Amino acid sequence: MKPAFKCTRRGLIAAAACLVLPMWSQAGTFPDRAVTMVVPYPAGGSLDTVGRPLTQMFEQETGQSLILENVGGAGGLIAAAKVVQAKPDGNTLLLASNGQVTIAPLMYKDMAYDPQTDLLPIAHLVDQTAVLYASTKSPYRTFDDVAKAAQSGSGRLQFASSGTGSISHLAQELLAQQMGVQFTHVPYRGAAPALQDVAGGQVPLLFTFVGSAKAMTASGMVRPLAVAAAERLPALPDVPTFAELGYPGVQASVWIGLMAPKGTAPDRIERLATVFNHLLQQPGFKKLMTDNNMEVKGGSVAQFTTMMAEDGKRWADLAKAVNLAAN
């Protein structure tokens, strides 16, 4: 009887290939079906601006669909809890931001999930910097006008925000801390109604994002006064940073990234990280983000993890100082 396998150099190579093929095939074919990206806010917001262009690019890259599912409510906590409870196979992801991951634990004692243990980082996608805007119906034409009014002792300045614990709220608390003054916080249910009242002159000041305020800036209803970043924004080259104005500690931005439920296999996390980091570098995507005044980030899973830890520490210190809690 002939041996089933001839022990030659060529035969050994073939045998080795047979042994490694199943493992390579399993990693190489993921994803093998549609992937759902849960967006923790209603359609039309900043996270949609990031997520929607990725859907077509993802299919071109992997051959599988990327489906956006908008799940609003509770500041994004409902969406995050939905992802945490999903099967950890890499096919259900969270398009996360500070709100659900680093800020929520500072505001809520009882949460349906623990961001540090129940969600795994995949990729840091973009950052969006907060900018201080003033109503053109207010007397504040420059930040110096705001500083003089705040330090005059004639009463607290009113600041609108998109909600308690939002970056627009935390930025104003950070500014008050740096200036050694107090502001009156006027929270709204989102950036749109806050901007409407600032434009109407009901509240004079608001931290928000360039994209959110773009239409009202163009129509002359609000004006940008200062940027909460280390460097000026390309979209607002004539608007100074708080660092230039003497307050280098006033830096506030929303980060947006991808996360998966705990238990997702490391090779799938790495596969997703590789795919999305590649998509981030595509010229069309980078231009679209620049046009929407977002900074493309990217990097390793470890870098994303470190960034989130630093972000959490930063806001935890502020939350303790101002006794931050949800309404």
Side-chain angles (χ1 to χ4, degrees):
M1 179 183 296
K2 292 184 178 180
F5 184 81
K6 189 175 182 181
C7 188
T8 64
R9 182 174 181 274
R10 181 176 297 178
L12 289 172
I13 293 173
C18 291
L19 290 173
V20 302
L21 181 59
M23 291 182 62
W24 178 89
S25 178
Q26 183 179 11
T29 57
F30 174 78
D32 55 2
R33 60 185 176 87
V35 173
T36 298
M37 180 189 292
V38 179
V39 182
Y41 298 105
S46 296
L47 273 70
D48 269 25
T49 302
V50 178
R52 295 208 175 277
L54 290 173
T55 56
Q56 182 178 356
M57 296 167 62
F58 184 87
E59 184 165 2
Q60 292 172 345
E61 180 81 4
T62 68
Q64 300 297 332
S65 298
L66 179 64
I67 302 168
L68 260 63
E69 180 182 353
N70 292 87
V71 180
L77 303 190
I78 294 174
K82 177 183 177 73
V83 173
V84 165
Q85 295 163 7
K87 184 178 180 180
D89 56 6
N91 292 104
T92 304
L93 310 176
L94 177 67
L95 188 60
S97 66
N98 317 52
Q100 305 83 50
V101 180
T102 54
I103 296 173
L106 308 177
M107 298 178 58
Y108 303 97
K109 292 182 179 179
D110 298 316
M111 292 177 58
Y113 63 96
D114 183 342
Q116 293 189 357
T117 58
D118 293 338
L119 290 167
L120 301 177
I122 297 172
H124 184 186
L125 302 179
V126 302
D127 280 353
Q128 193 173 24
T129 298
V131 177
L132 175 62
Y133 285 85
S135 170
T136 52
K137 294 183 178 181
S138 77
Y140 311 124
R141 301 188 63 82
T142 66
F143 177 74
D144 189 51
D145 296 331
V146 175
K148 288 177 180 177
Q151 295 165 347
S152 68
S154 60
R156 293 186 184 182
L157 295 183
Q158 288 189 323
F159 275 71
S161 85
S162 57
T164 300
S166 64
I167 289 296
S168 89
H169 173 211
L170 295 178
Q172 66 180 259
E173 295 286 4
L174 191 59
L175 177 60
Q177 186 185 63
Q178 294 283 306
M179 295 180 68
V181 299
Q182 290 185 321
F183 301 133
T184 296
H185 176 217
V186 185
Y188 287 79
R189 292 182 179 273
L195 267 166
Q196 288 172 1
D197 272 11
V198 171
Q202 286 88 347
V203 185
L205 299 161
L206 166 72
F207 276 95
T208 190
F209 306 108
V210 174
S212 300
K214 187 175 183 179
M216 290 187 180
T217 303
S219 63
M221 302 174 78
V222 300
R223 64 169 61 95
L225 302 183
V227 174
E231 299 179 354
R232 294 193 182 197
L233 296 179
L236 301 173
D238 298 325
V239 179
T241 66
F242 280 102
E244 294 175 70
L245 298 167
Y247 302 98
V250 182
Q251 297 188 31
S253 63
V254 166
W255 58 258
I256 298 173
L258 275 177
M259 305 189 78
K262 72 174 180 182
T264 304
D267 62 336
R268 297 199 168 195
I269 294 289
E270 289 296 336
R271 166 70 170 150
L272 290 166
T274 298
V275 168
F276 281 99
N277 270 293
H278 183 249
L279 299 184
L280 293 180
Q281 299 308 314
Q282 302 310 302
F285 181 80
K286 295 181 81 168
K287 182 180 185 304
L288 182 60
M289 293 301 100
T290 299
D291 290 347
N292 282 277
N293 304 289
M294 296 183 184
E295 180 185 1
V296 174
K297 302 302 289 188
S300 68
V301 172
Q303 288 172 323
F304 186 22
T305 303
T306 299
M307 183 281 294
M308 287 192 295
E310 292 171 349
D311 188 67
K313 175 67 166 57
R314 172 184 178 79
W315 298 124
D317 292 343
L318 180 67
K320 184 176 181 180
V322 303
N323 194 28
L324 179 67
N327 288 340

